[in-house]
Amino acid sequence: MDYGICMLSLVPMRAEPSDKAEMVTQVLFGECLEVLSKQGNWVQVQLASDEYRGWIDYKQYVPVSVAYFQEWKAAQHPRALDIVQVVSNADMRLPVGIGAYLPFFDGMSLRIDGQSYQYSGRATNPAVPVTTAQLTKVALGFLKAPYLWGGKSMFGIDCSGFTQQVYGLCGFQLPRDASQQVAVGEEVHFATQTQPGDLAYFANDEGRITHVGIMLEGQQIMHAHGEIRIDTLDHNGIYNAERKRYSHNLRIIKRIFS
């Protein structure tokens, strides 16, 4: 079995081994992965962070030892908090975005399979518990990020990528897709009882969970709909005041932080 790490700011992961295939998510800098199979110029991988599977170009990851992979997977890693910052050593300068993994970061340098790199930006501290107020602040940092199916960055993000990134920056690993995330947490039975940080889920006409957003104060909800935006939630769903209509039908609300 082969193992690797993402050494680029973002790498597209696709549903099939083709550049034309749907992008299902993105691999972030510093994120480890396991190679499951190979097909031409493509490798099927499983991410160490959330066990999500898909295909990436073989040129867009760097091999690491099994010992490093296992050490990476067993640890909680700081994450980049700046919208864009630089990871560097004597040979390279690499831009990385908010949410990038900083493996074994000690406040100045990070370690990737025996090599040391410098990072001087802001980073999370996994050892420090996060409050709902801090989670809300992290979420608000993504406001106006454009919608992108499969995206996980400030320059393109989808609804569940947004919730996964915000919770990940606050030390809690959610699954990747809304249909998977809905299994996490305790149900909140009424929209009037929501608290900041609650996750509201929405269904399509067939009853399948297809959308998720983060609750704020005053029954406001932050979600990806064309962009990361703030709307109002009631027992029917999300009401878009600009368009004067409901955009999503509420299915269930879950609380992650009690």
Side-chain angles (χ1 to χ4, degrees):
M1 195 70 69
D2 294 331
Y3 301 93
I5 194 167
C6 178
M7 290 293 289
L8 298 171
S9 55
L10 287 171
V11 166
M13 180 187 285
R14 303 193 179 275
E16 303 293 338
S18 167
D19 283 314
K20 298 179 181 179
E22 169 193 6
M23 185 175 76
V24 292
T25 193
Q26 292 173 320
V27 191
L28 304 174
F29 174 85
E31 193 166 11
C32 266
L33 53 87
E34 180 179 352
V35 177
L36 305 176
S37 63
K38 301 179 181 181
Q39 185 174 322
N41 292 332
W42 294 86
V43 289
Q44 185 186 38
V45 302
Q46 177 173 289
L47 299 181
S49 58
D50 60 10
E51 299 186 344
Y52 207 72
R53 292 186 177 191
W55 294 85
I56 66 172
D57 188 310
Y58 84 99
K59 300 183 293 297
Q60 293 189 310
Y61 81 98
V62 173
V64 297
S65 66
V66 61
Y68 180 84
F69 175 85
Q70 291 172 344
E71 186 183 11
W72 192 101
K73 195 169 182 179
Q76 278 194 302
H77 303 287
R79 308 277 294 272
L81 274 173
D82 290 338
I83 292 177
V84 177
Q85 191 49 264
V86 173
V87 168
S88 63
N89 64 9
D91 301 315
M92 72 160 207
R93 286 175 56 84
L94 176 72
V96 299
I98 185 170
Y101 289 82
L102 304 172
F104 310 104
F105 184 60
D106 61 8
M108 293 184 63
S109 61
L110 50 129
R111 175 172 55 84
I112 296 179
D113 210 17
Q115 297 293 316
S116 180
Y117 300 85
Q118 281 66 55
Y119 176 82
S120 58
R122 295 181 303 137
T124 65
N125 183 348
V128 177
V130 173
T131 66
T132 54
Q134 290 169 314
L135 185 144
T136 297
K137 183 178 180 180
V138 169
L140 289 170
F142 284 87
L143 195 63
K144 302 297 290 184
Y147 181 87
L148 175 66
W149 181 273
K152 289 178 68 173
S153 86
M154 276 294 299
F155 305 104
I157 197 164
D158 64 19
C159 66
S160 55
F162 168 60
T163 52
Q164 189 190 51
Q165 281 283 66
V166 170
Y167 266 84
L169 286 163
C170 294
F172 190 94
Q173 180 65 58
L174 285 175
R176 177 58 177 90
D177 295 336
S179 59
Q180 301 167 322
Q181 292 176 5
V182 71
V184 181
E186 299 295 325
E187 183 175 356
V188 177
H189 295 286
F190 300 101
T192 54
Q193 296 177 337
T194 59
Q195 297 177 7
D198 290 349
L199 297 179
Y201 295 91
F202 306 86
N204 61 13
D205 293 340
E206 290 77 45
R208 188 167 61 89
I209 299 295
T210 56
H211 193 66
V212 59
I214 299 176
M215 295 304 302
L216 306 175
E217 292 279 5
Q219 283 185 238
Q220 290 189 308
I221 184 168
M222 197 169 180
H223 65 127
H225 188 54
E227 61 183 320
I228 299 296
R229 55 179 291 123
I230 297 173
D231 289 309
T232 302
L233 179 77
D234 62 25
H235 64 280
N236 291 315
I238 298 177
Y239 184 74
N240 186 316
E242 294 172 5
R243 303 182 188 278
K244 295 181 171 55
R245 66 178 180 85
Y246 285 93
S247 61
H248 297 85
N249 298 316
L250 180 63
R251 176 66 178 273
I252 192 172
I253 302 167
K254 289 293 196 74
R255 180 161 299 155
I256 310 299
F257 294 145
S258 57

